[in-house]
Amino acid sequence: MCRALIIGAGGVGTVVTQKIAANPAFSDVMLASRTKSKCDAVAAAIGGNRVKTAQVDADSVAELCELFRSFRPDIVVNVALPYQDLTIMDACLECGCNYLDTANYEPKDEAHFEYSWQWAYQDRFKAAGLTAILGCGFDPGVTAIFTAYAAKHHFDEIHYLDIVDCNAGNHGMAFATNFNPEINIREVTQKGRYYENGEWVVTEPHAIHRPLNYPEIGERESYVIYHEELESLVKNYPTIKRARFWMTFGQEYLTHLRVIQNIGMARIDPIIYNGVEIVPIQFLKAVLPDPKSLGANYHGQTSIGCRIRGIKDGKERTYYIYNNCDHEQAFHETGTQAVSFTTGVPAALGASMWAKGLWRGAGVFNVEEFDPDPFLAELGPQGLPWHELFDTDIEV
């Protein structure tokens, strides 16, 4: 039996905790965050004293280790902030715990993210005989597992990979982000970046865009942005000639985003206001709606998947594998909106794969390095059914 410690009590942490608490593979479950009252509320909603709670500062290796030594988790599921990935990994190494996260490390003082910082832990986790699983949300996460499944079953060579992420939901707010505003705004305002013919091509933010059609949703304007799973996928599937990530944005959202940038509210460097040092984007986060609060009024669907072109048995083929998730159904099950649901379910399922001995190894792994079959066999029953389309027009 496995002891699981979840760090982070936002929308994603809520879903992860509910799913892990309902899974008999886990004997003991704890939820910890900087604000213990948030953990207590999640635990109370689950009931039955199934979930223990604790307060911890995930920026502090010492505090993390004190908690780890007290609870003795087998696996730590990190759904805190990406800034805290390395301190949590350090604490796992010091205390002999296995590790899983949903997003790669991002330094707090620089709007930049890549896997190099976490891949640098490979030798230390290997020497310790511990498993570190990186990027086990939906994107990154399921999108990489979809790619691994396509490579295993449907292609001899993958040549073109386009990951497409559409949120066609409406929460009724003038402007709100679907996950942590600080991380979300930093991510989508960066320059675009995609892989082609062995090189990374950098573009201005949102410079490449076109309408794409999404199942059950229809046409939505889609923009090329950079997303971290591209980095690991082109490394692990060297036959890929081009890899891109597309995300939909409404014009109203983009207008608000431009205003936020133009007036300096997206700045990540500290300023002095009334004698107090503040970071503008952190202040903005404090006044924007909490993503966890959006679920009650959210309607519509998300659609996320992979559109792939390559070779099978000497012939070119196309393949589209995707999931659609309904915001109202996600809220009915977990009290969260679909973006939290689609991230939290795979994280809990990835932890279950480790607990059952299906995804293990000494070292640092991206999810596509494991067998996709047992994960995808359980993804649908956990609330995220997936679909396949063969040899159709994939538009990209």
Side-chain angles (χ1 to χ4, degrees):
M1 298 295 282
C2 178
R3 299 172 66 88
L5 170 63
I6 302 126
I7 301 177
V12 176
T14 299
V15 176
V16 172
T17 306
Q18 290 182 19
K19 290 292 185 178
I20 285 181
N23 191 327
F26 299 94
S27 58
D28 296 270
V29 183
M30 175 176 279
L31 175 62
S33 79
R34 193 185 302 269
T35 307
K36 187 174 181 294
S37 59
K38 292 182 178 180
C39 303
D40 292 339
V42 174
I46 293 170
N49 297 318
R50 172 69 166 131
V51 178
K52 301 178 177 66
T53 64
Q55 189 279 330
V56 72
D57 179 358
D59 290 320
S60 168
V61 174
E63 278 198 33
L64 288 163
C65 284
E66 183 179 358
L67 178 62
F68 292 2
R69 291 184 179 119
S70 172
F71 182 66
R72 295 177 290 107
D74 298 298
I75 189 166
V76 174
V77 180
N78 169 19
V79 286
L81 294 172
Y83 317 142
Q84 296 165 325
D85 288 359
L86 301 189
T87 54
I88 297 173
M89 291 179 79
D90 286 336
C92 284
L93 283 167
E94 187 169 330
C95 299
C97 305
N98 299 279
Y99 172 88
L100 179 145
D101 68 27
T102 62
N104 68 359
Y105 175 70
E106 182 174 338
K108 201 166 189 176
D109 58 356
E110 182 184 1
H112 177 76
F113 50 90
E114 61 181 50
Y115 276 119
S116 61
W117 289 287
Q118 291 178 278
W119 284 345
Y121 279 67
Q122 168 68 19
D123 290 344
R124 294 168 64 192
F125 270 83
K126 189 172 183 178
L130 297 171
T131 305
I133 301 172
L134 306 184
C136 196
F138 206 104
D139 48 350
V142 174
T143 51
I145 297 164
F146 280 166
T147 305
Y149 184 82
K152 179 178 179 180
H153 295 285
H154 302 310
F155 289 91
D156 298 321
E157 292 185 3
I158 291 176
H159 290 167
Y160 300 97
L161 168 65
D162 286 275
I163 298 170
V164 291
D165 182 328
C166 173
N167 181 6
N170 181 7
H171 46 57
M173 300 284 186
F175 181 82
T177 61
N178 295 297
F179 56 93
N180 185 292
E182 187 177 353
I183 303 302
N184 180 265
I185 292 171
R186 283 165 59 124
E187 176 183 304
V188 302
T189 57
Q190 291 190 50
K191 289 189 174 184
R193 190 167 174 247
Y194 66 93
Y195 180 84
E196 189 164 27
N197 296 326
E199 297 181 349
W200 290 101
V201 180
V202 178
T203 71
E204 290 303 308
H206 313 135
I208 298 175
H209 59 94
R210 59 168 294 179
L212 297 174
N213 286 282
Y214 295 88
E216 300 181 45
I217 292 170
E219 186 177 276
R220 293 291 189 276
E221 196 68 17
S222 306
Y223 298 78
V224 170
I225 67 170
Y226 178 63
H227 229 243
E228 62 253 50
E229 65 261 50
L230 299 181
E231 183 182 12
S232 67
L233 287 170
V234 299
K235 174 188 171 199
N236 288 318
Y237 298 97
T239 63
I240 291 177
K241 298 178 180 180
R242 187 186 67 214
R244 300 177 294 191
F245 186 100
W246 303 76
M247 183 172 280
T248 61
F249 301 109
Q251 286 305 311
E252 186 175 10
Y253 177 89
L254 291 176
T255 299
H256 277 87
L257 205 58
R258 282 193 292 271
V259 171
I260 287 167
Q261 290 178 281
N262 290 341
I263 65 176
M265 288 305 295
R267 287 174 56 175
I268 63 174
D269 55 313
I271 63 169
I272 302 299
Y273 174 73
N274 283 350
V276 178
E277 184 177 278
I278 66 167
V279 176
I281 198 170
Q282 292 178 355
F283 174 80
L284 179 66
K285 173 186 173 183
V287 299
L288 286 174
D290 181 348
K292 192 174 178 179
S293 72
L294 300 175
N297 297 307
Y298 227 137
H299 309 285
Q301 296 183 78
T302 63
S303 182
I304 310 174
C306 298
R307 304 184 185 193
I308 299 172
R309 190 150 37 105
I311 299 294
K312 179 67 173 178
D313 297 329
K315 298 179 181 179
E316 184 175 283
R317 80 174 320 173
T318 63
Y319 177 66
Y320 183 13
I321 180 171
Y322 68 92
N323 160 263
N324 276 30
C325 183
D326 185 270
H327 284 287
E328 292 180 72
Q329 290 179 9
F331 183 76
H332 178 73
E333 181 177 345
T334 63
T336 66
Q337 34 94 350
V339 177
S340 296
F341 189 82
T342 56
T343 305
V345 169
L349 185 50
S352 172
M353 293 292 103
W354 183 89
K356 294 176 180 179
L358 298 170
W359 282 12
R360 290 202 183 183
V364 175
F365 301 89
N366 292 92
V367 291
E368 67 268 19
E369 297 179 78
F370 296 109
D371 184 0
D373 292 3
F375 182 97
L376 290 181
E378 293 192 37
L379 187 63
Q382 288 295 323
L384 294 175
W386 47 281
H387 312 276
E388 300 171 283
L389 298 174
F390 295 90
D391 299 320
T392 60
D393 179 11
I394 56 174
E395 300 183 299
V396 287

